[in-house]
Amino acid sequence: MDIARSELILGGQKSGKSRRAEQLARAWLGRSPGHAALLIATAQAHDEEMRARIVRHQRERAERVPGLALLEEPRDLAAALAQHGAPGTLVVVDCLTLWLTHWLMPVAPQEYEPNRPPALAWQAQAAHFFEALAQCPGPVVLVGNEIGLGVIPLGREVRAFVDALGVLNQQAAAACRRVTLMAAGLPLTLKDEALL
């Protein structure tokens, strides 16, 4: 499996996005004993169903890709990428959609980072992330949802979120060398500029 310098994987729910990212990580790890792979997970468990889902995903992922390390970081992806990116390390960010959700639609804003100064505005945070992506010395795989293909949502806040996600996906697509759209577990390459 070819590994791009950077790849954005988009698709709907259960389209195979995360599985493709895992396949890329497994292929990367198989290339050299000196290679490492890290998943930066943005999900947070705010209820029992989500806790169970996260535990299940962690267990299944460990079975499919035993060497894939895990870092949970729901908000500061720029710092996580800057800190953990390395020439021999493939970083998977799963997922951009939840990252945006934590910034624009937080469940409980007072619970976030209580020992840190107030967070940067979303636009500044996104700019920092794309700078970190451009400077990352190793390959990066971004996973995100494509939710703009369905019915136009009701409600100002939801429409604003869908618009913001569309902009984020466009920015990520412009920043990545490869863009893959997943549907029914099948990859469709939308962009492929260069391989490692």
Side-chain angles (χ1 to χ4, degrees):
M1 180 172 267
D2 290 330
I3 309 292
R5 171 71 183 79
S6 54
E7 179 169 348
L8 171 64
I9 303 172
L10 289 172
Q13 187 171 341
K14 294 297 179 191
S15 62
K17 306 178 302 294
S18 295
R19 189 64 59 94
R20 176 170 173 82
E22 290 173 4
Q23 290 169 345
L24 291 168
R26 189 171 55 242
W28 177 257
L29 290 169
R31 281 187 178 185
S32 167
H35 280 178
L38 172 69
L39 171 72
I40 302 176
T42 60
Q44 287 189 303
H46 293 290
D47 58 38
E48 285 306 314
E49 184 274 336
M50 191 61 173
R51 268 187 274 288
R53 180 182 287 253
I54 289 171
V55 168
R56 185 182 76 245
H57 283 304
Q58 289 173 344
R59 183 183 66 247
E60 292 172 355
R61 193 170 47 242
E63 292 171 2
R64 289 189 297 265
V65 191
L68 182 60
L70 172 66
L71 171 68
E72 295 182 358
E73 178 50 65
R75 290 181 47 98
D76 199 350
L77 289 184
L81 196 55
Q83 181 178 356
H84 297 283
T89 300
L90 181 140
V91 177
V92 175
V93 176
D94 195 353
C95 81
L96 295 179
T97 310
L98 287 175
W99 176 52
L100 178 65
T101 302
H102 296 315
W103 279 94
L104 297 187
M105 304 174 80
V107 173
Q110 69 277 11
E111 293 178 8
Y112 291 114
E113 302 172 355
N115 298 323
R116 291 188 185 177
L120 296 170
W122 161 246
Q123 291 82 5
Q125 181 62 215
H128 288 308
F129 171 71
F130 286 114
E131 288 172 17
L133 177 64
Q135 294 172 6
C136 189
V140 179
V141 177
L142 307 176
V143 178
N145 293 80
E146 175 51 72
I147 64 172
L149 298 174
V151 176
I152 297 172
L154 295 175
R156 181 175 56 85
E157 292 85 5
V158 177
R159 284 192 299 273
F161 178 82
V162 172
D163 289 348
L165 182 59
V167 170
L168 176 60
N169 286 345
Q170 289 184 47
Q171 291 172 321
C176 288
R177 302 259 179 108
R178 180 186 292 151
V179 179
T180 302
L181 179 66
M182 297 298 297
L186 300 174
L188 174 63
T189 302
L190 302 180
K191 172 183 173 181
D192 198 349
E193 291 182 346
L195 303 176
L196 275 177

